[in-house]
Amino acid sequence: MDFTKAAPSLHTLPVEILCYLFSFLRASSILSCTSTCRYLRKALDDSSALQYTIELEAQKMVEVTALDAMSSPAERLEMLRNQMCSWQAFKPTIVNQFLQPGGEVSMSFGHLSTWDDHPQIAQIRALDSSPSESQPYRRWNADSYPMTKDTPLRVHSVCMDPSQDLFAFVVIEPNHMAEISCRIYLETLSTSEPHPLAASEILISFKPHISANCHIDQTKMKLKIWGDRIVLLSFCDEYSACPARMQIWNWQEKQDFKCIYREQEPYGKMDDCCIVNRDHLIVSSRMTGRLPCRLSIFSFSDLGKPPILVAECILPFRPEGTFLRHSQFVTISPDIRRSIGPRDTYFYPDAKNQLIALNVDGPPSLVIIIDTSKLLTTCQSGVHVEGQSRVLPWKEWGPNCSRCIVDPVPNSLFVLRLEVAGGRAVHAAPNDVSCASYSLRMYDFNKYRMSRAAASKDFRGRIVTEPSTVKHQQLDEEIVTTLPYMVVVDDERIETAANMIDVTFDDENILIIKSSERDENEFVIDVAKPSPMAVQGK
């Protein structure tokens, strides 16, 4: 008698076991497996958990829930799809309006902050705070900060990361030896106490510049946070010969060293920087002397050594200035997670697959949206000589990695600005040369969301896959870009007596920032949801 049995296969396993096994795979692998037969396909169709896993990865989002979350995979799947549909409809609805002191504006994890350099005041507001709450915002005043007697305190930059309850600010203090002492203070955003995760309350650096003759008023600082990394970019104004300098810390680890890079001669003019993929840094620089406008790509996986210049990507224009906008990396601390309601679920961009927006001050005024994953792949491919960085002309990296967006209405009053988050970009475009009214435009560069929009009968936008060409007398060459995207324009017009200043957003809110008619140092900020669906709680 033959007691041998047929080897078990996936078809003989219960659906519950199949779903458990598939949960360890990436979305692409799940789809490959379930496309082989009807039985496996039915297992996917019947599992909200697997569909949710695929949807989350396809949209390149991460989930933030409470430690004791009560929402089911089916509920989270519905919320995520509704959020996508609300953006594709893109009919922003104003839900709140408030006044905010002017200054530099930043937004992260549902919080808005403004930093006004002259009165040295930061205002931080939780956007979900209701008007009835006693403390809808927090005011931070540098003048009231306790410092050593007779120390000339000057805060040059502030930065916040609400997902880590982190507030950081940079103080420059010249001493009697004409050196420049630079200190970064790390506090909790909620209480102004030293941050419990910080290995040291203060990060200290000396001599940000070579020249001791550089006056403190000529020194500029930009502070960036990305998870456990902090980057300080220090540079001087147009009339100084001092080189720019970057310093990188892991603020959660005790260390006696930091990663440092200083511009080499001939000195370039670094404008801005941002961290991508945790161990890469992108720096934008203007043309100076023999050095062209460029994006410099650095790797800094070992913070005990200077950053390695991987590549220099040449830009086809000579701007007056550039700056970078990019998605924040969300790191939810246990305290923040405990404060989230058990039925609350939030979705935020996975910053490992992020876009950056290179905003260019003209002429011409334009923005280049860059896919950083494609950019890093391009910079690291090909022949590379040890110890030498690659120099990539625009045609070798720009067309395939980016999309250029220009002024829809050329005029002298409006400077194009785009904010990016989660594969999307939003801006307010003037409707005519007078700039008396604006329309909101939303761009989405996520291929999955584009395919879903193309299949929808209700989609009223436009999907662009063909190359676009920008020509201008101020350009060194024509800018040809091919990164696919879809665009939706809001039908409603924003009427404003004062010039529109800016728009910033995350996946929950759109902030329309206008100058106040009664006070030039004050902003009027409209808080909008991407569609009525989002307002109704999805």
Side-chain angles (χ1 to χ4, degrees), residues 124-195:
I124 303 152
R125 181 184 296 263
L127 296 174
D128 291 334
S129 298
S130 63
S132 61
E133 293 188 21
S134 58
Q135 290 185 332
Y137 66 89
R138 175 184 166 220
R139 186 175 187 273
W140 184 89
N141 191 341
D143 290 341
S144 63
Y145 198 82
M147 294 296 291
T148 308
K149 257 189 173 182
D150 301 324
T151 299
L153 167 66
R154 179 68 178 173
V155 177
H156 275 244
S157 182
V158 301
C159 193
M160 68 166 186
D161 182 354
S163 73
Q164 301 185 94
D165 194 22
L166 175 62
F167 181 74
F169 61 96
V170 183
V171 173
I172 297 182
E173 305 165 6
N175 63 25
H176 65 283
M177 296 180 67
E179 296 176 347
I180 297 179
S181 172
C182 177
R183 300 169 184 264
I184 302 175
Y185 290 79
L186 306 175
E187 299 180 344
T188 58
L189 188 64
S190 54
T191 63
S192 294
E193 298 293 329
H195 200 287

Side-chain angles (χ1 to χ4, degrees), residues 11-312:
H11 301 82
T12 63
L13 295 176
V15 173
E16 294 79 9
I17 301 298
L18 281 174
C19 292
Y20 176 75
L21 295 175
F22 285 153
S23 67
F24 292 94
L25 302 178
R26 293 183 59 85
S28 57
S29 298
I30 296 174
L31 292 174
S32 297
C33 290
T34 56
S35 64
T36 59
C37 68
R38 293 180 180 177
Y39 181 75
L40 296 182
R41 179 66 193 183
K42 188 176 186 306
L44 172 61
D45 292 341
D46 293 342
S47 173
S48 298
L50 287 183
Q51 293 177 44
Y52 177 63
T53 298
I54 293 172
E55 187 80 22
L56 199 65
E57 185 175 328
Q59 291 200 43
K60 298 182 179 179
M61 304 290 280
V62 293
E63 161 198 301
V64 177
T65 57
L67 297 174
D68 55 347
M70 298 171 59
S71 58
S72 66
E75 291 173 324
R76 294 199 295 272
L77 176 62
E78 183 181 7
M79 285 187 286
L80 184 57
R81 285 178 173 170
N82 283 342
Q83 186 182 72
M84 176 178 66
C85 291
S86 70
W87 278 97
Q88 287 179 3
F90 198 62
K91 297 179 180 178
T93 302
I94 305 296
V95 296
N96 192 15
Q97 184 184 80
F98 55 84
L99 298 176
Q100 186 92 348
E104 297 179 13
V105 177
S106 64
M107 184 177 176
S108 172
F109 196 60
H111 287 69
L112 167 72
S113 72
T114 55
W115 165 247
D116 198 340
D117 183 54
H118 293 295
Q120 297 269 285
I121 292 175
Q123 300 270 12
I124 303 152
R125 181 184 296 263
L127 296 174
D128 291 334
S129 298
S130 63
S132 61
E133 293 188 21
S134 58
Q135 290 185 332
Y137 66 89
R138 175 184 166 220
R139 186 175 187 273
W140 184 89
N141 191 341
D143 290 341
S144 63
Y145 198 82
M147 294 296 291
T148 308
K149 257 189 173 182
D150 301 324
T151 299
L153 167 66
R154 179 68 178 173
V155 177
H156 275 244
S157 182
V158 301
C159 193
M160 68 166 186
D161 182 354
S163 73
Q164 301 185 94
D165 194 22
L166 175 62
F167 181 74
F169 61 96
V170 183
V171 173
I172 297 182
E173 305 165 6
N175 63 25
H176 65 283
M177 296 180 67
E179 296 176 347
I180 297 179
S181 172
C182 177
R183 300 169 184 264
I184 302 175
Y185 290 79
L186 306 175
E187 299 180 344
T188 58
L189 188 64
S190 54
T191 63
S192 294
E193 298 293 329
H195 200 287
L197 296 181
S200 174
E201 179 183 352
I202 303 173
L203 303 176
I204 302 177
S205 169
F206 294 95
K207 292 184 179 179
H209 301 77
I210 288 180
S211 173
N213 296 323
C214 177
H215 193 270
I216 188 171
D217 291 336
Q218 296 175 310
T219 304
K220 299 179 182 179
M221 297 282 179
K222 288 192 177 182
L223 189 64
K224 302 293 179 79
I225 302 172
W226 205 91
D228 59 3
R229 307 299 206 209
I230 281 186
V231 175
L232 178 66
L233 175 63
S234 59
F235 54 98
C236 290
D237 62 20
E238 300 289 337
Y239 308 103
S240 172
C242 295
R245 179 181 173 115
M246 294 185 304
Q247 299 171 84
I248 308 169
W249 291 264
N250 183 329
W251 63 276
Q252 297 180 6
E253 292 184 1
K254 188 70 175 178
Q255 52 195 11
D256 296 326
F257 55 82
K258 52 193 167 293
C259 196
I260 300 176
Y261 177 84
R262 188 183 65 208
E263 282 180 328
Q264 307 300 313
E265 293 189 56
Y267 299 148
K269 281 297 178 186
M270 291 183 178
D271 278 331
D272 207 351
C273 67
C274 67
I275 306 174
V276 295
N277 289 2
R278 191 172 184 268
D279 56 2
H280 283 84
L281 193 72
I282 298 180
V283 179
S284 63
S285 302
R286 278 171 287 161
M287 181 175 182
T288 52
R290 291 169 294 147
L291 295 178
C293 302
R294 63 203 181 278
L295 292 178
S296 302
I297 316 298
F298 294 87
S299 171
F300 60 96
S301 54
D302 184 356
L303 294 185
K305 300 177 181 178
I308 299 172
L309 182 58
V310 177
E312 290 190 294

